[in-house]
Amino acid sequence: MKTIWVRLCVLVASLLGASGVAHADDSAWLPVRDQNPFVLGSGLPLLPTPALRAGNWSIDATLSESNTQLISSRQGLLSDGPGIHLVFGAETRESRIAVNYAFDNNWSARASLGDEWIGVGFLDRPIQDFHKLIGSPRGFRGGRLGEKPPVIRLSSDGDVLYALDRPGQALAPLLLDLTRTWNVSDSASYGVSLGVKLPTGDSRHLSDTGDNAASLAAFGNWTVYNSIQVGARVGYLYTNGNDVLPTLARSSAPFADVYVRAPLIGKWSAQFQFDVHGALYRNVPIFLDYAGMYTFGFVRPIGARSELLLGVSEDLPIGHTQDVSLLVAFRYRPHD
């Protein structure tokens, strides 16, 4: 985990050393979230959105689809043997709407509500074909899981701590945040966000972990080499009252994110983003430990007021969160 944080710092420092005198663009985060349901419902805050002028508002609609087939164990290799074992075979889909409003040119507030579905989807076969194409191990896909999806089961020394074995859909947590930004120059801006999570979801269907949460984050956005956008964020999350795994849940975890966006062709831009967070549970298999995700994305404005964002995410380190996630997002700012 320490190595990941060091690499993030080195990447940001090297990019900032190349800062030019370019005119600053808006923050350019892809609205990526860790799609592991045990993490998704915990209250990790949304990434910053582009700044708005006083009295203006924007709306973001996101759809994230993810598929994972694995057995993750802390001790032993057999899912029914001694130790802590997680069997996860399911496709998940998070749909989320976020509304952002600017009180003035520096202060803004955002509210976001979502929906989480867990079941059997379409991604398993394409992921198998892709792994075969690149020579990657098939892992537990293709029937090797030994269970019929959807199945999510965490057991400790034979005692089941959580189990889900049928498709389901439920409301996801309500996420709120308040942000203060500072535009210090034409090529740099900074901000601080205070986030709150309210457990409006259903812990039985794993659309929520049932806890209340608060977070504090600081972020920056820079323009380098005239047209390349760079951003970084660091923060800390505090949670209380996890209903899903109360005996294993931690009360806090750090998180960090970086991105680089550059013009590609025509109106399209390409983006690389890396998001990481600390462990939200203790003494658990690596799937519930700290996790990182790297995302390759493409962004295209649609007219003067809208933007389409696409992304494909993979877990890094492998096995620490959902295998593959697809992101489709649409951003609309009616006052631009």
Side-chain angles (χ1 to χ4, degrees):
M1 179 67 178
K2 182 179 179 181
T3 303
I4 293 178
W5 292 103
V6 171
R7 289 177 179 174
L8 280 174
C9 293
V10 171
L11 174 62
V12 173
S14 62
L15 288 168
L16 295 185
S19 293
V21 196
H23 190 273
D25 289 318
D26 287 328
S27 62
W29 298 95
L30 291 172
V32 172
R33 286 164 52 75
D34 187 340
Q35 294 300 305
N36 181 345
F38 292 97
V39 173
L40 194 63
S42 66
L44 284 170
L46 301 176
L47 285 155
T49 59
L52 297 170
R53 298 186 182 92
N56 290 357
W57 60 275
S58 67
I59 184 167
D60 287 11
T62 62
L63 178 69
S64 300
E65 188 95 9
S66 186
N67 187 291
T68 296
Q69 312 274 336
L70 61 73
I71 298 175
S72 184
S73 302
R74 179 171 171 81
Q75 298 153 334
L77 298 176
L78 300 176
S79 61
D80 57 352
I84 301 180
H85 307 279
L86 174 71
V87 179
F88 194 109
E91 187 152 320
T92 65
R93 181 182 306 127
E94 183 195 27
S95 308
R96 183 164 286 276
I97 296 289
V99 178
N100 192 35
Y101 177 77
F103 299 106
D104 58 30
N105 290 335
N106 302 115
W107 288 93
S108 64
R110 177 170 48 176
S112 177
L113 194 59
D115 173 272
E116 176 77 359
W117 169 84
I118 299 176
V120 179
F122 67 95
L123 281 179
D124 185 42
R125 175 57 62 181
I127 292 173
Q128 287 188 59
D129 294 340
F130 176 71
H131 285 173
K132 181 178 179 180
L133 177 66
I134 64 176
S136 177
R138 294 177 63 184
F140 292 94
R141 297 187 182 277
R144 289 173 171 80
L145 187 65
E147 305 262 2
K148 183 179 180 181
V151 56
I152 301 175
R153 185 176 64 252
L154 182 70
S155 59
S156 176
D157 295 329
D159 296 327
V160 176
L161 304 181
Y162 178 84
L164 183 151
D165 60 2
R166 64 187 61 185
Q169 189 169 7
L171 199 65
L174 174 65
L175 302 177
L176 307 170
D177 60 59
L178 180 67
T179 299
R180 173 63 159 91
T181 56
W182 292 268
N183 294 311
V184 298
S185 72
D186 285 343
S187 59
S189 65
Y190 300 90
V192 176
S193 290
L194 175 64
V196 174
K197 173 247 176 171
L198 299 178
T200 54
D202 188 340
S203 57
R204 292 174 301 172
H205 290 91
L206 208 53
S207 70
D208 199 325
T209 50
D211 44 0
N212 295 289
S215 62
L216 181 65
F219 61 89
N221 297 282
W222 302 270
T223 302
V224 299
Y225 295 123
N226 298 323
S227 60
I228 299 176
Q229 294 170 267
V230 181
R233 181 184 72 160
V234 294
Y236 208 76
L237 173 73
Y238 174 79
T239 70
N240 181 54
N242 187 300
D243 289 339
V244 176
L245 300 173
T247 61
L248 301 177
R250 295 179 183 268
S251 61
S252 60
F255 56 89
D257 320 83
V258 295
Y259 78 84
V260 179
R261 181 187 291 188
L264 184 60
I265 184 172
K267 294 184 178 181
W268 286 93
S269 296
Q271 182 157 336
F272 174 81
Q273 186 167 308
F274 186 68
D275 307 272
V276 61
H277 62 78
L280 289 161
Y281 302 92
R282 62 174 65 87
N283 302 322
V284 290
I286 61 172
F287 189 77
L288 299 178
D289 204 343
Y290 74 89
M293 302 165 297
Y294 67 91
T295 303
F296 291 102
F298 300 94
V299 183
R300 189 188 192 282
I302 301 175
R305 300 180 179 181
S306 304
E307 191 175 43
L308 176 68
L309 305 98
L310 308 173
V312 179
S313 302
E314 276 271 11
D315 51 333
L316 185 70
I318 294 174
H320 281 245
T321 186
Q322 295 278 61
D323 188 5
V324 175
S325 298
L326 302 181
L327 167 73
V328 179
F330 179 77
R331 176 170 294 142
Y332 177 63
R333 296 190 288 182
H335 300 287
D336 279 3

